[in-house]
């Protein structure tokens, strides 16, 4: 019995690593960065991908990220991809590599403040609401314009806006999903042109998850956030 469990577990691990290698090589060919979304996975599963070469891991909850960080190698780059409360910024500011989920000026001000205290500049993405679902977080285009035009934003010296992030509708309607990705790409192009023309670091479009990453890459994604496909 134990042996059977062991064998099945090993098979699953090998499968995950095979899946990883295949996905990673397809993304590399397209110059797309893979954020391995490791939420709910134990550190041992992250280590399998680490040994296979993965260094960027995404978590959506601060507490979980903090716990894994102390259990895992120092050269992992931690990306925060989930909704972030201002009172949690302080805990991640000393190490987080990128925050994908900036959806208010208030949050950005807190990130800037905590980054300054930590003596860092933190890379951030503006999260846009592109899906039809009501529940997903994110800015509207007009909210983003207001943020970027504000004096408060222009005075920040400890954050860097590196691009945009969005989640498409959770839907089988691939035409809808594709059109939402196109919307995000258009937002990116507009912001690049209007606010970040001379900023080479403004280059990322974080879109695409396990179920829709291929469409996202076709529509211009530079960074995909993939969990279940890797950790099945
Ligand atoms: C969980 C999560 C993902 C990954 O989703 P999968 O479908 O498991 O690939 C991507 N982005 C965010 C914000 C998530 O919370």
């Amino acid at each position: 019995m134990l042996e059977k469990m062991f064998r099945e577990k090993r098979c699953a691990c090998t499968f995950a690593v095979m899946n990883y290698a295949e996905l990673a090589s397809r993304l590399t060919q397209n110059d797309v960065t893979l954020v391995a979304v490791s939420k709910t996975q134990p550190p041992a599963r992250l280590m399998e991908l680490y040994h296979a070469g993965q260094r960027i891991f995404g978590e959506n909850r601060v507490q979980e990220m903090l716990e894994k960080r102390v259990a895992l190698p120092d050269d992992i780059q931690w990306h925060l991809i989930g909704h972030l409360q201002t009172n949690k910024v302080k805990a991640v500011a000393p190490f987080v590599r990128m925050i994908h989920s900036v959806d208010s000026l208030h949050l950005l001000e807190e990130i800037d403040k905590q980054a300054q205290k930590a003596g860092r500049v933190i890379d951030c993405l503006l999260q846009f609401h592109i899906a039809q679902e009501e529940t997903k977080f994110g800015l509207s285009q007009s909210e983003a314009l207001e943020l970027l035009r504000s004096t408060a934003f222009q005075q920040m010296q400890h954050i860097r806006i590196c691009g945009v992030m969005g989640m498409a509708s959770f839907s089988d309607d691939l035409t809808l999903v594709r059109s939402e990705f196109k919307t995000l790409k258009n937002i990116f192009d507009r912001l690049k042109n209007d606010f970040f023309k001379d900023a080479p670091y403004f280059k990322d479009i974080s879109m695409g998850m396990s179920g829709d990453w291929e469409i996202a890459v076709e529509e211009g994604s530079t960074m995909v956030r993939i969990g279940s496909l890797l950790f099945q």
Side-chain angles (χ1 to χ4, degrees), residues 76-108:
I76 288 180
Q77 300 169 27
W78 294 99
H79 285 215
L80 194 73
I81 60 169
H83 183 66
L84 177 58
Q85 291 171 307
T86 47
N87 64 357
K88 303 268 175 72
V89 173
K90 190 185 168 118
V92 297
F95 70 91
V96 70
R97 180 56 68 99
M98 182 176 266
I99 298 174
H100 290 230
S101 45
V102 173
D103 60 0
S104 73
L105 178 62
H106 179 59
L107 175 59
L108 202 56

Side-chain angles (χ1 to χ4, degrees), residues 161-220:
I161 302 292
C162 295
V164 300
M165 183 273 234
M167 290 166 87
S169 294
F170 191 69
S171 165
D172 292 337
D173 182 352
L174 299 184
T175 313
L176 173 68
V177 168
R178 188 180 291 278
S179 80
E180 292 170 351
F181 287 147
K182 279 188 201 293
T183 300
L184 189 61
K185 172 72 163 80
N186 286 337
I187 293 172
F188 173 86
D189 288 342
R190 178 164 174 209
L191 296 183
K192 178 80 189 168
N193 187 61
D194 293 355
F195 295 92
F196 298 100
K197 231 187 190 124
D198 303 317
Y201 53 82
F202 188 88
K203 61 177 177 48
D204 281 318
I205 306 178
S206 167
M207 62 184 188
M209 312 186 356
S210 292
D212 56 21
W213 69 270
E214 286 173 291
I215 301 175
V217 169
E218 284 168 11
E219 296 305 330

Side-chain angles (χ1 to χ4, degrees), residues 83 103 127-130 134-139:
H83 183 66
D103 60 0
Q127 180 174 358
F128 283 87
H129 180 101
I130 54 168
E134 288 286 328
T135 54
K136 293 196 173 146
F137 295 102
L139 297 158

Side-chain angles (χ1 to χ4, degrees), residues 16-29 213 230:
V17 168
M18 270 166 49
N19 235 15
Y20 168 74
E22 159 108 32
L23 180 65
S25 92
R26 285 189 57 192
L27 291 170
T28 307
Q29 282 163 26
W213 69 270
L230 287 173

Side-chain angles (χ1 to χ4, degrees), residues 37 39 60 81-82 165 167 208-211 225-229:
V37 176
K39 63 185 183 207
N60 66 343
I81 60 169
M165 183 273 234
M167 290 166 87
M209 312 186 356
S210 292
R225 309 176 311 271
I226 295 184
S228 43
L229 189 66

Side-chain angles (χ1 to χ4, degrees), residues 43-133:
R45 296 299 312 269
L46 280 71
M47 279 312 289
E48 290 172 24
L49 295 191
Y50 180 90
H51 288 310
Q54 182 66 14
R55 290 296 179 274
I56 303 176
F57 289 90
E59 290 283 337
N60 66 343
R61 291 176 55 226
V62 167
Q63 192 53 40
E64 197 175 334
M65 181 187 271
L66 296 174
E67 284 165 16
K68 284 178 191 168
R69 179 179 178 242
V70 295
L72 289 162
D74 278 345
D75 62 343
I76 288 180
Q77 300 169 27
W78 294 99
H79 285 215
L80 194 73
I81 60 169
H83 183 66
L84 177 58
Q85 291 171 307
T86 47
N87 64 357
K88 303 268 175 72
V89 173
K90 190 185 168 118
V92 297
F95 70 91
V96 70
R97 180 56 68 99
M98 182 176 266
I99 298 174
H100 290 230
S101 45
V102 173
D103 60 0
S104 73
L105 178 62
H106 179 59
L107 175 59
L108 202 56
E109 287 179 304
E110 181 64 15
I111 297 170
D112 186 62
K113 180 176 148 194
Q114 296 300 339
Q116 176 171 23
K117 283 190 185 165
R120 302 184 64 216
V121 173
I122 296 180
D123 286 348
C124 295
L125 304 178
L126 295 179
Q127 180 174 358
F128 283 87
H129 180 101
I130 54 168
Q132 284 188 333
E133 285 114 86

